[in-house]
Structure formats: C-alpha cells, structure tokens
Amino acid sequence: LIPLAVIMITAATGASTFSMYALKKSDVIIDRKGNPEPWETVDPTVPQKLLTINQQWKPIEELQKVRRATR
C-alpha cells in the first residue's frame, strides 16, 4: 500500500507542477479583462513550445521568393 501512495503522491505533485508551469506561459490566457488582446504582447522570436532544443529561426527561401513576387 505504501508504494501505491508514493506513486499517487508523485503523480499528483507532477500534475500540479506542470499545471502551474503551463499557466505561466505566455500563450495561455487567464485574465481576459486585464489584457483583452494578449497576442500583441507575444514576442515572435521566442518559440512557444514546451521544449525547444537548439532551435534557430531562419527564413525559408521559397516563401521569401513567393512573398516578394506577390507584392
């Protein structure tokens, strides 16, 4: 019974810790009245993922050519 209690406590602690972490991220909206347009405060250069390993933003050449051609 003790191992089951330890596993349940560990799972509950992990779930609550992840919930608090997810609520602090910028892509989660909690206060709609205080900040009605939160998408204006999001920095586009910061990746909005849970885990990012060695990611660097580079423009895709084909998309840049299409954008230049459609202007």
Side-chain angles (χ1 to χ4, degrees):
L1 195 58
I2 292 174
L4 179 62
V6 170
I7 291 171
M8 294 300 291
I9 290 171
T10 304
T13 303
S16 61
T17 303
F18 179 76
S19 297
M20 295 305 291
Y21 169 75
L23 288 175
K24 290 181 182 179
K25 291 182 62 88
S26 64
D27 57 345
V28 177
I29 302 168
I30 298 173
D31 184 19
R32 289 186 286 170
K33 293 180 182 177
N35 190 6
E37 297 174 350
W39 54 88
E40 292 181 356
T41 61
V42 175
D43 186 11
T45 61
V46 176
Q48 299 295 322
K49 293 183 178 181
L50 181 64
L51 179 65
T52 304
I53 300 173
N54 298 331
Q55 178 180 355
Q56 299 209 350
W57 184 84
K58 291 184 236 175
I60 300 171
E61 291 299 322
E62 291 83 14
L63 290 177
Q64 296 299 325
K65 290 177 184 176
V66 170
R67 285 184 184 158
R68 283 187 218 118
T70 58
R71 286 187 184 173

